[in-house]
Amino acid sequence: MNDPPARRPSPRALDERTCQLICPIAAAMVGVCLTGISLLRVATAMRRQGTIADDLLSLDALLFLSATLASYFALRVQSRKRLHWLERIADRTFIAAMLLLTLACFVITYALSR
């Protein structure tokens, strides 16, 4: 028997799926950053020693928020061109935020181990 050819999802469906993944993950990461800032504030208050990690996490929360908003609006637009544009913004800001979060983790680890 011949199997029907596998249907490939349309490019719009792929872009929407990417946005559907980025939106909740980036929103949750904003919460992770805010929790990290709070915990870091407590740790630095007890040690009486400051660090730039909370500033990095604040900037990171803004990047994750930007990725969340871009992916949300990408899901709401009807224009294919605008969908791709917003999806690229969401993708790039999400990756940048993840890289900054990794850097902030290194700074936190170094600051708290001294």
Side-chain angles (χ1 to χ4, degrees):
M1 291 189 196
N2 290 347
D3 291 332
R7 289 183 51 193
R8 289 185 146 182
S10 71
R12 181 169 177 87
L14 289 175
D15 290 336
E16 285 178 358
R17 253 189 301 167
T18 301
C19 291
Q20 288 171 348
L21 288 172
I22 289 175
C23 194
I25 294 171
M29 294 307 290
V30 171
V32 169
C33 290
L34 294 176
T35 303
I37 291 168
S38 300
L39 293 172
L40 195 56
R41 288 288 181 171
V42 170
T44 56
M46 292 177 67
R47 291 176 161 226
R48 299 179 197 273
Q49 177 183 349
T51 178
I52 64 162
D54 53 343
D55 296 331
L56 290 175
L57 288 175
S58 298
L59 178 61
D60 204 24
L62 290 174
L63 284 173
F64 279 123
L65 180 62
S66 299
T68 302
L69 291 174
S71 63
Y72 174 79
F73 288 124
L75 292 171
R76 296 285 179 214
V77 298
Q78 299 301 318
S79 166
R80 185 180 191 93
K81 184 177 180 181
R82 191 168 290 155
L83 168 74
H84 289 297
W85 181 72
L86 286 168
E87 188 265 337
R88 266 188 256 120
I89 290 173
D91 224 9
R92 290 176 181 161
T93 55
F94 184 78
I95 295 298
M98 289 301 288
L99 291 172
L100 185 59
L101 183 60
T102 304
L103 176 66
C105 288
F106 281 118
V107 171
I108 291 168
T109 302
Y110 176 75
L112 294 179
S113 66
R114 288 193 292 148

